[in-house]
Amino acid sequence: MKVLKNSSTLVILFLMFILSTLFFNLVLGISPILDFFNYMAGKKYLWTIPLLISILFGFWLYSRSMKRKISDERIEIFNATIRTIQDILQNSASSMQLLILDMKDVEVHEEIIIKAEKNMEELKSVIKTLASVDPKTIQLKDLNRNLSIIKMND
């Protein structure tokens, strides 16, 4: 079912056309494509075939360029989102660093300061991981593995 899910209707229709032509050629002994070309040559309409092919090729190029534009826009949105998240995380890291310095000045228990510094390092590694994400070659499993560094239970 995954093959049919990713195929377009045009590909399925093309395959049905090819199979029906093969059926007519092999089983019934009729060659519909050759008969069609002979008819077009006899009526002097053979010029319509290259015209039809060029129109279909133009539609294909247009579709491909639209898909590329959409992909580029998605990449731009992704990059802007990642930069925004990095800025927010960087601000949080700066605030956390100031908090750690304040905790050292007030002489808070050393264990709490160590946990805060550990969380600070994890936050920095998340920022580095987000910075290394390339939206064109993103592998979600690798990204998930790299981002799953924060351990809430420790």
Side-chain angles (χ1 to χ4, degrees):
M1 283 299 156
K2 194 170 189 175
V3 172
L4 292 177
K5 183 178 179 184
N6 293 332
S7 297
S8 67
T9 307
L10 187 61
V11 171
I12 294 172
L13 288 175
F14 181 73
L15 288 175
M16 289 175 53
F17 175 75
I18 295 294
L19 290 175
S20 63
T21 303
L22 282 174
F23 175 75
F24 284 132
N25 281 335
L26 296 175
V27 176
L28 300 178
I30 302 171
S31 55
I33 294 176
L34 183 61
D35 292 342
F36 175 73
F37 282 130
N38 287 334
Y39 173 76
M40 295 297 278
K43 294 289 186 175
K44 308 245 191 261
Y45 291 138
L46 208 52
W47 57 270
T48 58
I49 294 171
L51 179 67
L52 180 65
I53 290 173
S54 63
I55 289 172
L56 290 175
F57 184 70
F59 281 136
W60 177 74
L61 284 177
Y62 177 75
S63 172
R64 198 174 94 184
S65 69
M66 284 294 119
K67 287 180 183 179
R68 187 175 297 138
K69 283 182 182 180
I70 290 170
S71 175
D72 290 343
E73 287 178 9
R74 286 181 180 171
I75 288 172
E76 285 180 30
I77 291 171
F78 179 83
N79 286 335
T81 304
I82 291 296
R83 279 193 301 271
T84 304
I85 291 171
Q86 283 177 319
D87 290 342
I88 291 169
L89 291 175
Q90 191 65 40
N91 290 341
S92 297
S94 298
S95 298
M96 196 171 209
Q97 197 167 19
L98 289 173
L99 181 65
I100 290 171
L101 290 174
D102 288 343
M103 288 188 328
K104 286 182 180 178
D105 288 343
V106 179
E107 297 178 2
V108 175
H109 195 273
E110 188 67 28
E111 187 176 307
I112 295 174
I113 295 173
I114 292 172
K115 281 189 176 186
E117 288 174 343
K118 182 181 174 190
N119 288 339
M120 175 83 169
E121 292 301 318
E122 290 175 351
L123 189 58
K124 285 182 182 179
S125 63
V126 168
I127 293 171
K128 287 179 186 176
T129 302
L130 286 175
S132 68
V133 171
D134 182 20
K136 292 182 180 178
T137 61
I138 189 169
Q139 295 293 327
L140 294 178
K141 289 181 182 179
D142 294 337
L143 181 64
N144 191 21
R145 189 178 328 114
N146 289 337
L147 285 179
S148 296
I149 57 173
I150 298 175
K151 309 211 178 2
M152 298 297 225
N153 295 333
D154 289 344

